[in-house]
Amino acid sequence: MSAEIQKVLEALAQVADPVMHIPLTSLEMIRDIQVQNKQVSLTVELTTSSYPHRQKVQQQIESILQGLGYTCHLHIIEKSNAQSSSPAGKKHSLAKPAQNTQEAQAAEQMPLSNIKHIILVASGKGGVGKSTVAVNLAASLALSGASVGLLDADIYGPSVPIMLGLDGKGQPEMIKEGEEQRIIPMHAHGIEAISMGFFVPPDVAMAWRGPMVHSALLQFMREVAWSDLDYMVMDLPPGTGDIQMTLAQRVKVSGSVVVTTPQLVALADVIRAKAFFDKLRVPILGVVENMSYFVGDDGKKYDIFGSGGGAHAAERFELPLLAEIPLAPEVRIQSDDGTPVVISHPNHPVSKAFMGLAQKVREMCPL
Ligand SMILES: Nc1ncnc2c1ncn2[C@@H]1O[C@H](COP(=O)(O)OP(=O)(O)OP(=O)(O)O)[C@@H](O)[C@H]1O
Ligand SMILES: [Mg+2]
């Protein structure tokens, strides 16, 4: 990249998406920059066909470039027309899955020196309770005295704002540190948290495509002013897609916790998750079986979803079964209400199971 293009890119880093406050250059909305004879031509790739800030963004770009003495020619396109052009100034093809382990390892890892352990909470399929486990694991670690962050990596379907009672509590504050913009994480129940849900409504996030999601995630790690953290728990979206790939490639993960349910058919999902993390060389700390059983008013245990799926999966791969979390209405009620059950009902069997999980994570990832 020429020094002049670099200069233009640096200047354009001042233009941020008005809602997310993230520079358009980081969101990879600026592409195909060419500079010749004091004339700049570039493509602005809008994230949706109804991008509401089109005019504002266009005016800002034009005014910055004119301020630098350039005339400019902007080519404004919408997401669906833009799949093949390459983002300006980026080394990696961001949304492209790694072809093999060597490629996965070749991606540049971000140094996160103020975070001792990054723990991923993952599953092969949706709805098994990843977010519930991530939030209660984070809260349990915090209760045990650790400093804890929770990164909601489910960009398309964030759950953390509601589960921590931060929904509708406004956006995170932004501060300037020299030239750098820093995002102050939100705080609840002794946990620092960041989620796309604090910035954009889910219907807007749904329209995002791979590279933008990737940029947002990197920004959550690079630009959020996390405290010195003992543990950062990351709540992943379901499955084994680009978001999981980005995280596994770009940060040093201490281990992943694979959540499953008791049905024996759930084994197939664990197999998928295990193969995925093995390929990316992310250690698996163990399996959590969620919704394991229900204790009725009669005190009896009922295996509503069958039994043995988690244990079977753990045994098959010689992984520890880290916890069996009972099915309990309090879990869902408290999640919807914004207080993790380990905080609202610390003596409930479900909370004891979460505390046991946190204890095992602490033993496997010592400080
Ligand atoms: N042990 C439990 N007892 C009762 N309800 C639970 C339990 N675990 C999770 N739930 C409820 O099940 C639903 C799904 O849980 P959650 O959102 O944590 O799943 P997820 O795996 O993160 O889903 P997604 O794949 O959509 O991200 C929620 O309503 C949650 O409150
Ligand atoms: Mg979830």
Side-chain angles (χ1 to χ4, degrees), residues 223-246:
E223 289 183 15
V224 173
W226 298 106
S227 306
D228 291 340
L229 297 179
D230 295 325
Y231 298 97
M232 177 186 277
V233 178
M234 293 191 182
D235 176 21
L236 298 191
T240 50
D242 287 346
I243 290 180
Q244 291 81 344
M245 188 85 72
T246 296

Side-chain angles (χ1 to χ4, degrees), residues 127 129-132 152 154 157-159 163 235-238:
K130 286 173 299 302
S131 303
T132 306
D152 186 351
D154 196 344
S159 305
M163 288 186 174
D235 176 21
L236 298 191

Side-chain angles (χ1 to χ4, degrees), residues 133-156:
V133 169
V135 165
N136 281 286
L137 171 60
S140 302
L141 287 167
L143 282 174
S144 74
S147 54
V148 181
L150 178 60
L151 189 150
D152 186 351
D154 196 344
I155 303 285
Y156 298 119

Side-chain angles (χ1 to χ4, degrees), residues 325-339:
I325 315 284
L327 182 76
E330 289 83 350
V331 175
R332 188 195 47 75
I333 294 166
Q334 291 306 315
S335 284
D336 291 349
D337 219 38
T339 307

Side-chain angles (χ1 to χ4, degrees), residues 49-254:
S49 55
S50 54
Y51 187 75
H53 316 294
R54 182 185 183 122
Q55 243 190 337
K56 188 169 181 188
V57 156
Q58 179 173 356
Q59 281 167 359
Q60 283 184 15
I61 293 175
E62 284 172 348
S63 121
I64 285 174
L65 293 177
Q66 281 157 10
L68 291 172
Y70 293 108
T71 53
C72 52
H73 173 70
L74 303 191
H75 178 48
I76 300 188
I77 56 173
E78 288 157 7
K79 181 177 95 94
S80 53
N81 305 330
Q83 301 300 337
S84 61
S85 51
S86 67
K90 290 286 164 187
K91 270 195 256 166
H92 306 292
S93 170
L94 299 176
K96 186 172 140 249
Q99 299 301 314
N100 54 38
T101 310
Q102 283 72 31
E103 189 178 337
Q105 286 179 322
E108 193 182 297
Q109 284 208 328
M110 276 193 291
L112 290 168
S113 53
N114 61 332
I115 300 171
K116 292 196 184 118
H117 290 289
I118 293 180
I119 314 289
L120 306 183
V121 179
S123 73
K125 71 159 186 220
V128 296
K130 286 173 299 302
S131 303
T132 306
V133 169
V135 165
N136 281 286
L137 171 60
S140 302
L141 287 167
L143 282 174
S144 74
S147 54
V148 181
L150 178 60
L151 189 150
D152 186 351
D154 196 344
I155 303 285
Y156 298 119
S159 305
V160 165
I162 288 182
M163 288 186 174
L164 287 183
L166 291 169
D167 194 37
K169 296 274 166 74
Q171 288 196 350
E173 253 182 78
M174 308 277 172
I175 50 162
K176 275 241 162 204
E177 265 180 22
E179 286 304 292
E180 307 239 315
Q181 168 192 256
R182 309 282 279 160
I183 304 167
I184 308 294
M186 305 282 270
H187 285 76
H189 310 296
I191 303 167
E192 295 185 6
I194 204 81
S195 168
M196 190 44 73
F198 298 148
F199 298 93
V200 290
D203 54 332
V204 176
M206 284 307 285
W208 284 23
R209 58 188 194 82
M212 295 176 58
V213 169
H214 177 103
S215 299
L217 281 175
L218 297 189
Q219 204 132 13
F220 280 173
M221 287 173 284
R222 209 184 279 140
E223 289 183 15
V224 173
W226 298 106
S227 306
D228 291 340
L229 297 179
D230 295 325
Y231 298 97
M232 177 186 277
V233 178
M234 293 191 182
D235 176 21
L236 298 191
T240 50
D242 287 346
I243 290 180
Q244 291 81 344
M245 188 85 72
T246 296
L247 291 171
Q249 287 179 313
R250 299 301 301 273
V251 293
K252 191 169 178 310
V253 175
S254 294

